[in-house]
Amino acid sequence: MPDRIYNFSPGPATLPQEVLVQAAKDIVNYNAMGIGLIEMSHRSKEFIAITDEAESLIREIMNVPNNYKVLFLQGGASTQFAMVPMNLLGPGKTATYLNTGTWATNAIKEAKLFGNVVVAYSSENTKFDRVPAPGEYEVAAGSEYLYFVSNNTIYGTQFPTFPVTDHIMVCDMSSDIMSRPLDVSRFGIIFAGAQKNMGPAGCTVVIIREDLLDKAPANIPTMLKYKTHADKGSMFNTPPCFSIYAIGLVLKWLKKLGGLTVMERMNQEKADLLYKAIDSSLFYKGHAKPESRSLMNITYNLPTPELEAKFVKEATAIGLNGLKGHRSVGGIRASVYNAFPKEGVVKLVEFMQEFEAGNR
Ligand SMILES: *Cc1c(COP(=O)(O)O)cnc(C)c1O
């Protein structure tokens, strides 16, 4: 294995090296069967076992109650922006959304195609530098659900605690699923694209409370109805086989390390190192308000865009990759998901200090 760089990419993102090594073997010859993993029928008993294991690992690690289905879907997290309201809204029905960034904005746009949308909170005026404090918004009366994005990948903000409401909660957890313990029973739907914190691109995991499966109007397309996939164990059509398999490997790795409590501690340690480096300097300026800071995507600016470009270029040259901020905000973004090693964060902090000393 050649030396690996530190990959701060926001997604697809770094994966545990042991997962990559195992996957490389299995792609060529799965379990000494003489057939590659990605050549096998999704209806073979071997592949069904792979899917069952990935599902049971999700259930075990997240402590998913029995009255929830776990689905492996395609179309990215972005397809969920439409699937959620298609299945849960309808003419004359209302949903409440919290607008904390680009992904929430995109979801709001889709929801408006299917029903009434109340945007009860927006941090757009302050460049999405924060998430709401509890009580800073009200869920509209009669709402079918409250929708929010737990971690705002582009802006580097994260809900430190989840909203408390009697309404059904729908959450886009694409960039922080499995980064900390949570109580799944408080949610109606949790969904997440795999490519940030769970595996490679191609699969969206949806965790949905069973009673919501029957809410969908009859006239929506088969493939976009949650019940279609729930009734067939995510095998109504060909599922994203490789991605499901790789999610299984990542979750075995995660379980071996100690599960979500350990992930949260490790993520907190990594983020603390970076935020401390930012806060102890006048050269670097964090984008997110301290109370809203993400443990997954750490966003900051330098005094000028020119210095930011120089920073990215010099960091890349020493193997610190993927630090350029999203085009909509600029600056620097260090994405440090579960599988990102602490040594990479230490290296980045050292580089930040050297760069500041040389460019102040
Ligand atoms: C990346 C991301 C998305 C979009 O995911 P796709 O799988 O590319 O559609 C949606 N929501 C959040 C929070 C994300 O980070």
Side-chain angles (χ1 to χ4, degrees), residues 4-314:
R4 281 165 59 76
I5 57 164
Y6 290 112
N7 174 15
F8 290 91
S9 163
T14 201
L15 290 171
Q17 184 161 331
E18 65 188 71
V19 167
L20 299 176
V21 171
Q22 184 67 46
K25 275 194 201 140
D26 289 347
I27 279 181
V28 180
N29 191 351
Y30 182 70
N31 244 352
M33 285 169 60
I35 178 174
L37 171 89
I38 56 178
E39 305 172 297
M40 284 181 346
S41 165
H42 60 293
R43 310 227 180 257
S44 63
K45 72 174 191 320
E46 289 78 17
F47 191 75
I48 289 174
I50 287 171
T51 306
D52 288 349
E53 185 175 23
E55 175 176 343
S56 58
L57 281 163
I58 292 174
R59 288 189 177 277
E60 182 186 346
I61 289 167
M62 294 181 74
N63 202 5
V64 178
N66 287 334
N67 61 328
Y68 284 72
K69 294 284 190 196
V70 175
L71 310 177
F72 299 107
L73 306 184
Q74 302 193 58
S78 298
T79 294
Q80 295 306 307
F81 301 166
M83 255 176 104
V84 165
M86 236 181 193
N87 283 263
L88 299 186
L89 272 186
K93 292 186 177 176
T94 299
T96 298
Y97 278 68
L98 306 179
N99 190 3
T100 53
T102 305
W103 301 118
T105 304
N106 292 0
I108 289 166
K109 174 166 175 261
E110 299 300 289
K112 284 179 176 167
L113 300 171
F114 301 99
N116 304 326
V117 174
V118 174
V119 179
Y121 173 87
S122 172
S123 48
E124 191 172 5
N125 285 339
T126 52
K127 280 198 171 163
F128 296 119
D129 65 349
R130 65 194 76 184
V131 298
E136 219 181 324
Y137 57 89
E138 244 171 77
V139 182
S143 281
E144 299 296 321
Y145 59 87
L146 167 66
Y147 181 105
F148 71 104
V149 181
S150 53
N151 184 74
N152 297 280
T153 325
I154 293 174
Y155 301 91
T157 66
Q158 185 175 26
F159 281 78
T161 59
F162 297 118
V164 176
T165 171
D166 294 335
H167 290 81
I168 290 166
M169 289 203 290
V170 175
C171 185
D172 175 358
M173 288 194 194
S174 291
S175 52
D176 69 348
I177 192 164
M178 311 234 190
S179 68
R180 54 181 168 175
L182 79 170
D183 178 0
V184 172
S185 73
R186 294 185 47 209
F187 296 84
I189 297 178
I190 292 169
F191 69 85
Q195 71 272 24
K196 276 119 189 184
N197 215 14
M198 276 187 297
C203 181
T204 309
V205 170
V206 175
I207 302 172
I208 179 167
R209 213 174 68 198
E210 275 167 3
D211 60 293
L212 301 179
L213 298 170
D214 296 319
K215 287 210 165 199
N219 64 345
I220 63 173
T222 309
M223 277 297 287
L224 298 177
K225 206 181 270 186
Y226 289 118
K227 195 168 182 339
T228 301
H229 303 284
D231 286 349
K232 298 282 188 211
S234 301
M235 297 272 182
F236 172 76
N237 69 322
T238 319
C241 298
F242 176 71
S243 187
I244 294 172
Y245 153 86
I247 289 171
L249 290 186
V250 170
L251 298 188
K252 272 187 235 174
W253 165 86
L254 192 158
K255 185 180 156 186
K256 197 173 68 188
L257 284 182
L260 300 189
T261 315
V262 172
M263 284 303 129
E264 182 179 45
R265 198 193 67 223
M266 287 166 54
N267 290 328
Q268 186 76 53
E269 275 172 21
K270 289 183 283 179
D272 284 350
L273 283 173
L274 268 169
Y275 286 124
K276 207 173 123 220
I278 292 168
D279 290 342
S280 59
S281 144
L282 295 173
F283 188 74
Y284 300 106
K285 188 171 174 300
H287 175 71
K289 287 267 161 224
E291 331 59 86
S292 297
R293 282 173 162 176
S294 169
L295 302 191
M296 302 273 95
N297 312 95
I298 289 141
T299 49
Y300 53 99
N301 288 88
L302 275 66
T304 66
E306 291 71 29
L307 279 170
E308 287 167 348
K310 188 170 180 229
F311 180 95
V312 170
K313 190 158 170 252
E314 291 182 13

